[in-house]
């Protein structure tokens, strides 16, 4: 009899422990911890990605990331990452996505995924005033020097198409601009808005050649790990919604109003 009672007691205790475990598991499932959305960007590209005097992230891409986080119900953390480290960080899972004015290219799509495009742009030229350069063909001449940022689409374009000129490759956008301002380079290839911004800061020494010279415009997208299919679908949904409800127009009004006026005057398609 004692043996039977002992077996019954052990069985009852086991059932009680199992029930408690299941109850705890159910509670965890019903109340999941709020997941952080880690967004990588290089805070060196105003007015899209930059920092204020206190070091806080600011700009179009920062507003974009925060709006996306609100839509997804996730807290956003901005990881300031050097341009060359963005894609490696994405592939290794250190960040969830990249919002850093990144152009969608076939080469990049081999290792990462992109959302649908949220902006379009074309390459433009920041030329030194004394260079006598008025178009891309005049820049592609023997003796001309072209500054490009390493790994940028301007770097890729110049390498493929401007074989007569000397290509000067630098790690930083500011260095490329300084080369032109000081007359060490005849031109700098980068996206239209950056060229416009730097011209506005150096009107005495530079000119901005904003009209597109590429056959097709470039498109920017949010970059994601190839494994994160669900997040990609959610980002696509947000971009469609943000374009339809005026969210992107608000970004432009807040950060890009002067540039948009210039683009409209020159009849050049704007980013959003």
């Amino acid at each position: 009899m004692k043996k039977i009672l002992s077996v019954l007691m052990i069985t009852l205790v086991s059932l009680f422990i199992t029930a408690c475990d299941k109850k705890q598991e159910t509670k965890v499932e019903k109340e999941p911890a709020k997941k952080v959305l880690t967004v990588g960007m290089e805070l060196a590209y105003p007015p899209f990605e930059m920092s204020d005097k206190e070091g806080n992230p600011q700009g179009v891409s920062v507003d974009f990331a925060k709006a996306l986080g609100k839509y997804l119900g996730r807290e956003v953390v901005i990881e300031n990452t050097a341009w060359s480290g963005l894609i490696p960080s994405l592939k290794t899972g250190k960040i969830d996505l990249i919002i850093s004015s990144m152009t969608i290219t076939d080469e990049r799509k081999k290792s990462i995924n992109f959302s649908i495009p949220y902006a379009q742009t074309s390459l433009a030229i920041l030329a030194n005033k004394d260079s006598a350069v008025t178009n891309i063909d005049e820049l592609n001449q023997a003796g001309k020097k072209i500054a490009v940022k390493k790994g940028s689409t301007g770097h890729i374009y110049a390498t493929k198409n401007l074989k007569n000129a000397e290509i000067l490759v630098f790690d930083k956008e500011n260095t490329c601009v300084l080369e032109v301002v000081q007359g060490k380079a005849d031109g700098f290839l980068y996206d239209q808005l950056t060229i416009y911004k730097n011209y506005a800061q150096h009107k005495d020494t530079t000119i901005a050649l904003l009209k597109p010279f590429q056959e097709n415009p470039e498109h920017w997208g949010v970059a994601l790990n190839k494994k994160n299919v669900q997040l990609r679908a959610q980002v696509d949904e947000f971009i469609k919604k943000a374009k339809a409800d005026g969210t992107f127009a608000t970004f432009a009004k807040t950060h890009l109003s002067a540039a948009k006026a210039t683009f409209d005057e020159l009849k050049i398609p704007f980013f959003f």
Side-chain angles (χ1 to χ4, degrees), residues 60 89 176 184 200 223 253:
V60 178
S89 293
C176 296
K184 296 177 181 178
K253 185 176 181 181

Side-chain angles (χ1 to χ4, degrees), residues 155-219:
H155 182 190
I156 295 169
Y157 181 91
T159 302
K160 289 182 178 179
N161 301 287
L162 308 179
K163 298 184 182 298
N164 296 322
E166 180 182 353
I167 310 300
L168 308 176
V169 183
F170 300 98
D171 289 326
K172 300 291 185 180
E173 169 199 327
N174 290 343
T175 307
C176 296
V177 174
L178 189 61
E179 290 289 303
V180 174
V181 169
Q182 295 179 345
K184 296 177 181 178
D186 297 287
F188 166 41
L189 299 188
Y190 218 55
D191 73 86
Q192 293 161 307
L193 197 58
T194 300
I195 296 302
Y196 169 80
K197 176 202 69 174
N198 284 295
Y199 158 71
Q201 295 174 352
H202 303 284
K203 289 185 178 181
D204 293 339
T205 54
T206 68
I207 56 174
L209 306 176
L210 298 175
K211 293 196 174 181
F213 52 80
Q214 295 164 285
E215 187 175 344
N216 298 307
E218 299 176 358
H219 293 94

Side-chain angles (χ1 to χ4, degrees), residues 12 32 36 46 53 57 77 79-80 109 131 140 157 173 200 224 235:
L12 287 171
V36 170
K53 293 180 180 179
V77 172
E79 282 290 335
N80 185 15
K109 284 163 70 174
S131 68
N140 186 27
Y157 181 91
E173 169 199 327
L224 305 101
V235 172

Side-chain angles (χ1 to χ4, degrees), residues 35-37 64-65 67-74 96-97 99 114-116 222 224-225 227-243 248:
K35 189 177 180 183
V36 170
L37 184 69
F64 179 9
L68 173 61
K70 185 176 180 181
Y71 175 78
L72 297 175
R74 296 172 64 175
D96 296 309
L97 45 80
I99 303 178
F114 281 97
S115 68
I116 60 174
V222 177
L224 305 101
N225 192 295
K227 297 178 181 178
N228 213 334
V229 178
Q230 182 179 3
L231 181 58
R232 180 187 182 186
Q234 292 172 331
V235 172
D236 285 350
E237 289 173 3
F238 171 74
I239 292 173
K240 292 175 184 176
K241 175 181 176 298
K243 284 183 173 289
F248 278 104

